[in-house]
């Protein structure tokens, strides 16, 4: 995965004022300067016919911005990259879907540091890239203090939960034709490197989950490569084929080299 450098100290960008826009359409100057650093090819097709994004226009909490990506199952898209233009590390996360995935649709929570375009770029196996975008008004998501103290966060780090949704509970897709929705939740502070310890007044070093892999038996459902833009306690909803077999295995790692693993026995018919 092509990654931009991760910010690990106070970023000058945090000191800039929230941008003011003369018209209704914000400029895309940042995108023009960063897209070549993230993608090998910078020719993007309009993705509005094959993808959609649900994101708040004005975020209630910039550190936990919910984003839902819906992908048409027949689009051929097997990888989705989320880019948040104005974040210190704009490459937010890359989601790759394997043979056990029923769809490339998913939802998660992200940090948004300032008024920014949020983009989802879907890639097919033959290399076509489809892009959609939404503008989100937020401020300070990457530097917002953690919701737990450091001691509590360390005690819970690496704890995982897997939730399987019943038919009719899906927020993204109709659960038909053997499609089921699940949610993986991982306890982790996901420190961005831009947050300040409220006692020492020093910046907390960056420490975040950089890889999550979900398998059903031997088959890949989903792999996520993330950065500082994934919110504290990463939380991802995704879709898998109920017709598959084998237990669920989640393997995650963070930037300190810690590895977290857990297996869940699959229930009959799920």
């Amino acid at each position: 995965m092509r990654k931009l450098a991760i910010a690990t100290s106070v970023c000058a960008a945090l000191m800039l004022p929230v941008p003011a826009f003369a018209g209704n359409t914000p400029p895309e100057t940042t995108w023009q300067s960063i897209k070549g650093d993230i993608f090998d090819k910078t020719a993007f097709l309009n993705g509005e016919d094959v993808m959609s994004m649900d994101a708040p226009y004005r975020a209630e909490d910039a550190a936990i911005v919910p984003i839902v990506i819906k992908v048409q199952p027949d689009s051929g898209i097997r990888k989705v990259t989320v880019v948040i233009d104005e974040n210190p590390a704009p490459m937010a996360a890359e989601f790759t879907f394997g043979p056990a995935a029923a769809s490339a649709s998913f939802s998660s929570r992200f940090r948004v540091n300032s008024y920014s375009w949020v983009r989802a770029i879907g890639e097919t196996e033959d290399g076509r890239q489809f892009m959609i975008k939404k503008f989100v008004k937020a401020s300070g998501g990457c530097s917002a203090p953690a919701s737990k103290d450091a001691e509590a966060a360390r005690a819970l780090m690496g704890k995982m939960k897997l939730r399987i949704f019943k038919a009719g509970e899906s927020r993204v897709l109709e659960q038909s034709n053997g499609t089921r929705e699940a949610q993986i939740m991982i306890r982790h502070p996901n420190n961005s490197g831009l947050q300040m310890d409220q006692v020492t007044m020093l910046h907390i070093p960056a420490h975040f989950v950089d890889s999550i892999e979900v398998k059903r038996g031997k088959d890949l459902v989903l792999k996520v490569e993330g950065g500082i833009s994934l919110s504290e306690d990463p939380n991802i909803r995704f879709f898998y084929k109920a017709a598959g077999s084998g237990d669920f295995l989640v393997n995650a790692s963070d930037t300190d080299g810690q590895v977290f693993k857990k297996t869940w026995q699959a229930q009959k018919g799920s």
Side-chain angles (χ1 to χ4, degrees):
M1 178 179 63
R2 286 79 60 190
K3 291 185 180 179
L4 298 183
I6 298 298
T8 56
S9 60
V10 179
C11 179
L14 295 175
M15 306 304 293
L16 296 176
V18 172
F21 305 118
N24 293 327
T25 305
E28 298 203 31
T29 309
T30 300
W31 171 242
Q32 296 304 322
S33 68
I34 65 174
K35 62 182 181 180
D37 294 325
I38 304 174
F39 298 97
D40 293 333
K41 296 188 300 181
T42 54
F44 304 99
L45 301 170
N46 186 336
E48 292 179 358
D49 290 338
V50 294
M51 304 169 64
S52 65
M53 182 190 307
D54 184 9
Y57 177 65
R58 187 179 296 277
E60 291 185 16
D61 185 340
I64 312 175
V65 179
I67 295 175
V68 179
I69 305 296
K70 300 178 185 179
V71 179
Q72 295 293 336
D74 59 355
S75 66
I77 290 171
R78 304 309 293 172
K79 181 188 293 184
V80 178
T81 303
V82 177
V83 178
I84 304 173
D85 287 9
E86 305 301 334
N87 273 13
M91 201 354 260
E94 182 181 85
F95 297 78
T96 302
F97 300 86
S103 166
S105 299
F106 67 92
S107 63
S108 192
R109 306 178 305 185
F110 295 86
R111 294 176 169 129
V112 180
N113 205 54
S114 64
Y115 286 23
S116 180
W117 283 108
V118 176
R119 304 172 192 273
I121 294 88
E123 186 174 337
T124 61
E125 290 184 0
D126 61 8
R128 289 174 297 150
Q129 296 179 139
F130 295 88
M131 184 170 68
I132 55 173
K133 62 184 181 180
K134 270 208 167 183
F135 191 71
V136 175
K137 291 185 175 182
S139 182
C142 293
S143 57
S147 63
K148 304 178 190 67
D149 61 48
E151 213 55 47
R154 278 193 294 270
L156 294 170
M157 191 181 300
K159 301 289 185 185
M160 290 191 274
K161 269 179 149 182
L162 180 72
R163 179 183 177 188
I164 306 296
F165 292 90
K166 297 177 182 178
E169 289 184 332
S170 173
R171 297 182 307 174
V172 180
L173 293 177
E174 289 298 322
Q175 292 182 348
S176 58
N177 300 322
T179 296
R180 295 294 299 274
E181 184 179 11
Q183 179 181 36
I184 181 65
M185 297 161 275
I186 303 174
R187 291 287 194 178
H188 200 286
N190 256 34
N191 295 323
S192 67
L194 302 172
Q195 297 150 311
M196 187 174 287
D197 187 306
Q198 300 302 304
V199 177
T200 66
M201 301 308 289
L202 298 174
H203 281 86
I204 302 167
H207 178 205
F208 54 88
V209 173
D210 58 2
S211 179
I212 304 168
E213 185 179 74
V214 182
K215 286 187 173 182
R216 178 83 188 272
K218 294 181 179 180
D219 294 328
L220 178 70
V221 180
L222 167 70
K223 184 174 182 180
V224 183
E225 294 184 63
I228 66 172
S229 297
L230 278 179
S231 293
E232 177 184 0
D233 297 334
N235 179 323
I236 300 161
R237 291 174 72 142
F238 58 91
F239 296 86
Y240 69 94
K241 297 174 182 176
S245 62
D247 295 338
F248 288 96
L249 170 65
V250 177
N251 190 336
S253 63
D254 68 18
T255 51
D256 278 7
Q258 297 181 93
V259 175
F260 314 108
K261 293 184 179 182
K262 190 166 181 180
T263 301
W264 290 265
Q265 185 175 4
Q267 300 298 313
K268 188 175 181 180
S270 67

